[in-house]
Amino acid sequence: MIPANPGYAASFKKTNKNMGNLLPVIAWDDEGHALVLDEDEGQLVRASRFSNFDGVTYDANHYIGAIHAPGWKIRWPKNERQPEDIVDPLIGWAIRADGTGIPLALDVDGFIEPVSSQFDPEIIRP
């Protein structure tokens, strides 16, 4: 068995019983088949064992880690609901399987979330 690199996922088609989804490939067997976790059996099984298996894909949006962002800030520009710019600390960066980083901030309820570019924020370096 060969451990899989982060970002590979087994794709499954939608059926009457499920919505279709992606499962992380945990490893490759000695013959090169993708292995996924079968939660009911509590063990790794070939993804192709399932009738709705559709292949293996690379999920570049898969997060593989996060790092702290000391001193980094984010400026939210004023808009129709916000009369002045707001500057908040950037709390970290989420790292994707493809090596890109996504800035993380706190939402109004104190939960961590990726920064959306739809509000045209400015990232301020330390």
Side-chain angles (χ1 to χ4, degrees):
M1 180 170 35
I2 303 166
N5 291 333
Y8 286 97
S11 176
F12 296 90
K13 296 177 191 172
K14 181 178 178 179
T15 67
N16 291 340
K17 293 182 181 180
N18 69 46
M19 297 288 291
N21 60 351
L22 294 175
L23 289 177
V25 173
I26 306 298
W28 310 95
D29 71 12
D30 292 336
E31 295 175 11
H33 294 274
L35 300 176
V36 297
L37 176 63
D38 182 327
E39 293 182 9
D40 294 334
E41 292 187 22
Q43 64 182 4
L44 295 178
V45 297
R46 285 184 176 179
S48 59
R49 173 181 185 178
F50 300 98
S51 62
N52 63 333
F53 175 63
D54 194 34
V56 174
T57 185
Y58 184 74
D59 181 13
N61 291 322
H62 174 80
Y63 294 116
I64 60 169
I67 57 174
H68 185 56
W72 288 75
K73 297 181 181 181
I74 184 166
R75 177 179 292 122
W76 303 99
K78 62 184 175 182
N79 59 44
E80 59 275 354
R81 295 184 356 223
Q82 177 180 299
E84 296 182 17
D85 287 357
I86 294 176
V87 176
D88 289 324
L90 195 63
I91 62 167
W93 296 91
I95 309 302
R96 291 183 172 162
D98 66 359
T100 58
I102 305 299
L104 301 172
L106 293 177
D107 68 11
V108 295
D109 297 317
F111 293 102
I112 297 171
E113 66 178 17
V115 172
S116 171
S117 60
Q118 84 181 59
F119 300 110
D120 198 27
E122 175 190 359
I123 305 296
I124 303 168
R125 295 175 181 259

